[in-house]
Amino acid sequence: MSSEADKSADDTNRWSVIPPAALVEMSVGAIYCYSMFQLPLSTLSGVVCPAPDDFTTSEIIPVFSMAAGGLGLSSAALGSWVDKVGPVKAGTIGSLCWFSGLMTCAAASHLHSLPLLYLGYGGLGGAAWGLLYMTPVSATMKWFPDRRGLATGLTLSAFGAGAAIAPPLIDFFTTMHFVAPEFLGAASEVALTTLPDGSQSLTSDPSTKVVVATASDAAKVGLSEGVYKLGTGDSGATGAFASLACIYGGVSLACSQFMKAPPPGWLPKGYEVDEDSTAGTKIGVPADIAVRTHQFPLLWMTIFGNAIGGLALISSSKMIMTDIWGANLPNVVTASFATGYVAALGSANSFGRLTWAIASDKVGRKNAYSVFALGLPVMAGTPYLIKTAIESGESSAVFPLGMFIGGSTFVIANYGGIFSILPAYIADLYGSKYSNSIHGAALTAWSASAVCGPMGLALLRSRAEKNAIEDLVNNLGDGKFEEAFGASTDKMDSLIESKTLTISRLMEVSDPSTIDPTPTLYDDVFYAGAGFIAAAAIANQLLKPPNVQQLIEKSNKKKN
């Protein structure tokens, strides 16, 4: 029994654990909004657009994957430890990790250090995610053995709410600390020289390096297109990370002190559990036995397949909205619109966690998971929506945009439901006694999806972007290319690496009839997501409950 157990447990004060548990989940829910940092992190030097020494998209997207890996590893390794030491100690340590992780990210952006960014958000942030996500769920489930779906739904909907509240908060602090770089003039008015490494400088002063912001680049930060002096200004990332560290670290640390666990075996007044039932806290299959049953790989695949598409969308939601729809509807899809979209996905995540958790108490966990297969046509049909928007023009692209927002919020609502239902699904399959340890092992499926989803997105997008640039260069011709970039096409790779050669700059010098390929960069990502959802649906249908009593007897024989 943990020394933190509330010895005065009764049916009234069990509800008092919900508010602090929800606030802890809300504070760490902000980790889902990593996409809000992708632009300022990729423009630390250039500020208005990426500079040669700035982090690339393929370098910073995997940071989220590492954080997710940290969640899985910490959940699997520390599940039993959380039960042993209690929610107060586990929550306190998780809060300190969250504060330290965000402060390390601030140092990483200030020093322009990619390893520190991985350590802060990926390492410390991932450990905090595991502890601050798992601990409140464990505590509330012990208090509500009679209403497990409701308890986890209330707690984890706060996690999603945190992801809805964080985007405007991050945007506020980023804007507060943003400093515009020194503007040198319009691109047509400033003589530039392309250096051997592909970067550009003033012809009159080669030591003064510059970046050239296109209209689309400048619009993302509210500035004018043109030439800006490299090394001036501030993208706002450092100040935003430091501010959030104080807010989220303080909230989670304070609230963790109020999370108490009930005494072992405690049940609400009037609630009786059959000794042979898995609904209470006395019956359960040990984790080492559960993970070796044939049901566990099917459960693992159900989680992995359903989560991977949602995670790819969440990890880069602001960039996806801007890339796909900013080109078609520049007057609608502004920077603030994209921020609102990220917040909407957070709200859908929260709504799905609460709604699906409560619904699963009525319709069953397996049936609820079966509905998630409806995300397949949404993902598979998105490239068609994008194509329709491109062909119809700006005047008719609003409807496809609305369809995309509706479909993607549905997918994210289902994504939230995966995890609010999961603890109860595990308890239904294997019993509640060891469900926390089994839950930790099952979350490795989420970690795997969080690695494969964002990293797969980065890989597929990078490949599509390079192919698109090559096609635009081929259509442009050698003479026009050299006139625009001050180098021949055989220098294309170095120009791409230095971020001088981009789709947006090529579109400015291409024929006006040329179609911008940016909105199609994610087609393969959506098709892959649809395939994984199909695999998850099949695994869920094959999942049948094990014989719990036989497994417990097997465990007892092993001990003896």
Side-chain angles (χ1 to χ4, degrees):
M1 173 178 174
S2 167
S3 60
E4 298 173 357
D6 189 347
K7 299 178 178 60
S8 63
D10 60 42
D11 289 2
T12 302
N13 68 14
R14 69 170 174 161
W15 289 97
S16 66
V17 76
I18 296 292
L23 286 171
V24 169
E25 291 281 2
M26 189 178 292
S27 71
V28 79
I31 201 167
Y32 262 134
C33 299
Y34 179 68
S35 69
M36 292 294 298
F37 289 109
Q38 287 175 351
L39 177 61
L41 283 174
S42 64
T43 56
L44 290 174
S45 293
V47 182
V48 70
C49 65
D53 63 339
D54 275 328
F55 303 143
T56 64
T57 300
S58 59
E59 287 175 333
I60 59 177
I61 286 180
V63 173
F64 182 85
S65 295
M66 185 174 177
L71 164 65
L73 291 174
S74 60
S75 298
L78 300 176
S80 300
W81 177 80
V82 169
D83 282 335
K84 182 179 179 180
V85 304
V88 174
K89 290 180 182 177
T92 297
I93 293 174
S95 300
L96 294 175
C97 287
W98 192 209
F99 171 79
S100 301
L102 289 171
M103 288 302 293
T104 302
C105 289
S109 57
H110 179 70
L111 299 173
H112 213 135
S113 171
L114 192 62
L116 276 181
L117 182 63
Y118 274 84
L119 172 63
Y121 213 92
L124 292 169
W129 195 351
L131 288 170
L132 299 182
Y133 179 91
M134 176 174 56
T135 300
V137 172
S138 173
T140 54
M141 279 190 66
K142 287 180 171 64
W143 282 106
F144 292 86
D146 53 334
R147 305 175 78 178
R148 290 190 297 236
L150 174 63
T152 56
L154 288 172
T155 305
L156 293 181
S157 64
F159 181 82
I165 294 170
L169 193 62
I170 295 170
D171 187 59
F172 171 78
F173 284 121
T174 303
T175 302
M176 175 190 293
H177 296 285
F178 179 85
V179 177
E182 183 181 344
F183 181 67
L184 300 177
S188 60
E189 300 172 350
V190 180
L192 301 178
T193 297
T194 301
L195 303 176
D197 63 357
S199 62
Q200 292 186 303
S201 67
L202 296 178
T203 302
S204 59
D205 182 10
S207 64
T208 301
K209 290 193 173 184
V210 301
V211 290
V212 180
T214 64
S216 60
D217 291 328
K220 294 175 183 177
V221 291
L223 297 177
S224 301
E225 62 180 302
V227 182
Y228 290 84
K229 185 177 179 180
L230 186 61
T232 60
D234 188 334
S235 72
T238 301
F241 276 124
S243 300
L244 293 172
C246 296
I247 294 174
Y248 288 129
V251 169
S252 59
L253 181 62
C255 292
S256 292
Q257 310 313 306
F258 295 94
M259 290 193 300
K260 294 281 187 177
W266 177 85
L267 293 174
K269 185 178 180 180
Y271 179 66
E272 296 181 0
V273 180
D274 188 330
E275 290 294 326
D276 295 329
S277 171
T278 64
T281 58
K282 295 181 180 179
I283 299 297
V285 179
D288 61 332
I289 299 294
V291 298
R292 290 201 292 269
T293 62
H294 74 271
Q295 287 88 355
F296 189 80
L298 292 172
L299 178 65
W300 196 97
M301 185 61 208
T302 300
I303 301 165
F304 175 82
N306 277 315
I308 193 167
L311 274 163
L313 182 59
I314 285 175
S315 67
S316 300
S317 52
K318 186 171 184 179
M319 183 172 66
I320 288 173
M321 172 55 70
T322 303
D323 283 349
I324 293 177
W325 301 101
N328 292 310
L329 293 164
N331 296 320
V332 176
V333 183
T334 60
S336 59
F337 185 95
T339 297
Y341 173 66
V342 179
L345 292 187
S347 297
N349 192 347
S350 177
F351 178 79
R353 287 171 189 267
L354 179 59
T355 304
W356 279 118
I358 295 173
S360 73
D361 282 340
K362 302 292 184 182
V363 305
R365 327 300 176 188
K366 183 174 182 176
N367 290 336
Y369 267 53
S370 296
V371 178
F372 298 161
L374 293 176
L376 194 159
V378 174
M379 297 291 282
T382 295
Y384 174 77
L385 278 180
I386 297 168
K387 182 181 178 182
T388 301
I390 293 173
E391 293 177 348
S392 61
E394 184 174 349
S395 60
S396 303
V398 174
F399 179 73
L401 170 62
M403 292 287 289
F404 172 78
I405 293 174
S408 58
T409 51
F410 174 74
V411 168
I412 297 304
N414 291 347
Y415 169 82
I418 296 168
F419 301 103
S420 61
I421 294 173
L422 181 59
Y425 202 172
I426 290 171
D428 290 348
L429 292 170
Y430 297 107
S432 295
K433 188 174 182 181
Y434 302 101
S435 62
N436 201 46
S437 299
I438 301 171
H439 187 202
L443 282 178
T444 59
W446 181 88
S447 296
S449 68
V451 171
C452 295
M455 291 187 70
L457 179 146
L459 178 64
L460 293 173
R461 184 191 182 283
S462 179
R463 185 178 68 181
E465 183 178 29
K466 186 173 182 181
N467 290 339
I469 288 175
E470 289 176 351
D471 289 342
L472 288 172
V473 169
N474 290 335
N475 292 334
L476 193 62
D478 291 349
K480 200 170 182 180
F481 180 89
E482 187 166 353
E483 179 184 346
F485 296 98
S488 59
T489 54
D490 60 1
K491 299 292 184 181
M492 186 169 63
D493 289 340
S494 62
L495 290 171
I496 293 174
E497 187 175 347
S498 66
K499 306 176 188 66
T500 298
L501 183 61
T502 62
I503 290 176
S504 60
R505 289 196 65 183
L506 281 166
M507 287 301 300
E508 286 195 335
V509 297
S510 294
D511 187 272
S513 62
T514 303
I515 297 175
D516 189 345
T518 304
T520 65
L521 297 181
Y522 301 90
D523 285 3
D524 289 344
V525 174
F526 289 112
Y527 289 135
F532 281 111
I533 291 175
I538 294 171
N540 184 55
Q541 292 306 311
L542 295 174
L543 185 55
K544 308 295 182 183
N547 189 317
V548 172
Q549 290 300 330
Q550 285 186 359
L551 292 173
I552 293 174
E553 291 173 7
K554 179 180 178 181
S555 175
N556 292 335
K557 289 179 180 179
K558 183 179 178 182
K559 291 178 181 178
N560 296 332

